[in-house]
Amino acid sequence: MPRIRRFLAAVGVVALGSGMLGACASASGDADRSDDGRDLSLPQASDVREAEPSLLIFGDSWTYGLAASRPGGGYAYLTGELLGWDTTVDGENGSGYLRTGQHGGTYGPRAAQLDPVLDPDIVVVQGSINDRRQDLSRFRAAVDEAWNTFTRHYPDADIVVLGPAPHALPVEPGILRVEEMLRAAAADHHLPYISPLADEWITTANYDAVIDTSPEGNAHPSDAGHAYLAERLVDALGELTIHEEPLVALEETETPVERG
């Protein structure tokens, strides 16, 4: 049972336990109690803390938060803030499934170096426009390697694939090919796929508000763009279902940047 649903079940059990406290006490006068008088037959607060959901967002310079004006201002960090979840961000500038990044990493070896104790509930794997000019005959094998590594590392996690978003318009043919191959791989792996391209997250109508084309920004999301992408990702996660159950329960939020 994936732990997002275990988390929701745990919350329901705690609520039920609180509502039936009187009935339980009267029906189980001899229930086991701790030295400090707590009824150990009821869920404890620590059970709820241990069940709090966590998120890992893994990807390239967009995930790193390049061009954000402050540390932690990238879309990945803001997604965690919007959800209120414990969030780990692992982004490497220039990295892809095939392309080596700033620190020499590609997605598969980078995934293998992640802490297996991290144990996230949801893993979002973002990217990668950086592979648009690589030899894509090797792409599927690199994708399989990375995703299988995440599955081995975090067998209880729900893995979500976040496809590439355009840094320039019109979208380059190489990015469209990467998108096509990622979508097919996600279907084969039975993984949910979020497509910023198909869902038109970035269009001519909002490009200038989302993408910083200055020399410093280098065609990466601006502060407003990172905030916008975070809200789009949260909305997209909220629309996903795993085995006919919602992956994430959301409240409505306002989007600061015009959508397409």
Side-chain angles (χ1 to χ4, degrees):
M1 183 180 190
R3 278 175 292 109
I4 284 297
R5 288 187 287 286
R6 289 215 305 269
F7 163 72
L8 295 174
V11 172
V13 168
V14 171
L16 180 63
S18 299
M20 298 182 66
L21 179 60
C24 289
S26 60
S28 304
D30 296 328
D32 292 337
R33 292 184 177 275
S34 65
D35 293 339
D36 59 4
R38 290 178 298 150
D39 187 344
L40 297 181
S41 66
L42 297 176
Q44 304 300 316
S46 60
D47 298 332
V48 181
R49 286 195 298 272
E50 291 173 1
E52 288 178 353
S54 59
L55 175 68
L56 167 63
I57 303 183
F58 178 98
D60 55 27
S61 55
W62 288 45
T63 292
Y64 175 82
L66 196 65
S69 63
R70 64 178 178 86
Y75 87 89
Y77 298 94
L78 299 178
T79 296
E81 291 180 11
L82 287 173
L83 290 170
W85 291 6
D86 180 20
T87 300
T88 300
V89 175
D90 191 300
E92 181 175 337
N93 298 339
S95 180
Y97 290 95
L98 293 173
R99 188 175 188 271
T100 56
Q102 182 179 16
H103 304 295
T106 56
Y107 279 22
R110 285 178 53 207
Q113 294 172 2
L114 290 168
D115 184 358
V117 179
L118 185 62
D119 200 25
D121 294 293
I122 296 178
V123 177
V124 174
V125 187
Q126 171 265 333
S128 168
I129 63 174
N130 292 320
D131 292 316
R132 66 192 184 277
R133 297 172 185 168
Q134 302 297 302
D135 176 6
L136 294 181
S137 67
R138 301 181 293 115
F139 185 73
R140 177 57 188 265
V143 168
D144 291 342
E145 175 194 1
W147 295 356
N148 289 337
T149 299
F150 282 114
T151 300
R152 287 194 303 271
H153 257 44
Y154 309 120
D156 292 326
D158 288 312
I159 298 173
V160 177
V161 182
L162 174 60
H167 66 301
L169 296 174
V171 182
E172 293 183 26
I175 296 177
L176 295 175
R177 180 57 178 154
V178 165
E179 157 91 356
E180 179 184 15
M181 296 180 75
L182 282 175
R183 187 187 291 275
D188 290 344
H189 282 259
H190 305 288
L191 298 178
Y193 186 78
I194 298 172
S195 175
L197 292 177
D199 294 337
E200 298 186 324
W201 288 15
I202 301 174
T203 68
T204 54
N206 67 4
Y207 179 85
D208 290 338
V210 174
I211 301 298
D212 182 352
T213 57
S214 70
E216 295 77 19
N218 193 27
H220 285 80
S222 60
D223 283 338
H226 277 294
Y228 166 73
L229 293 172
E231 294 217 5
R232 290 302 302 251
L233 177 55
V234 168
D235 287 348
L237 289 172
E239 293 171 359
L240 293 178
T241 57
I242 303 292
H243 304 301
E244 300 182 354
E245 295 183 28
L247 186 67
V248 178
L250 303 176
E251 297 180 359
E252 291 188 4
T253 58
E254 295 183 0
T255 304
V257 177
E258 180 183 357
R259 297 191 178 195

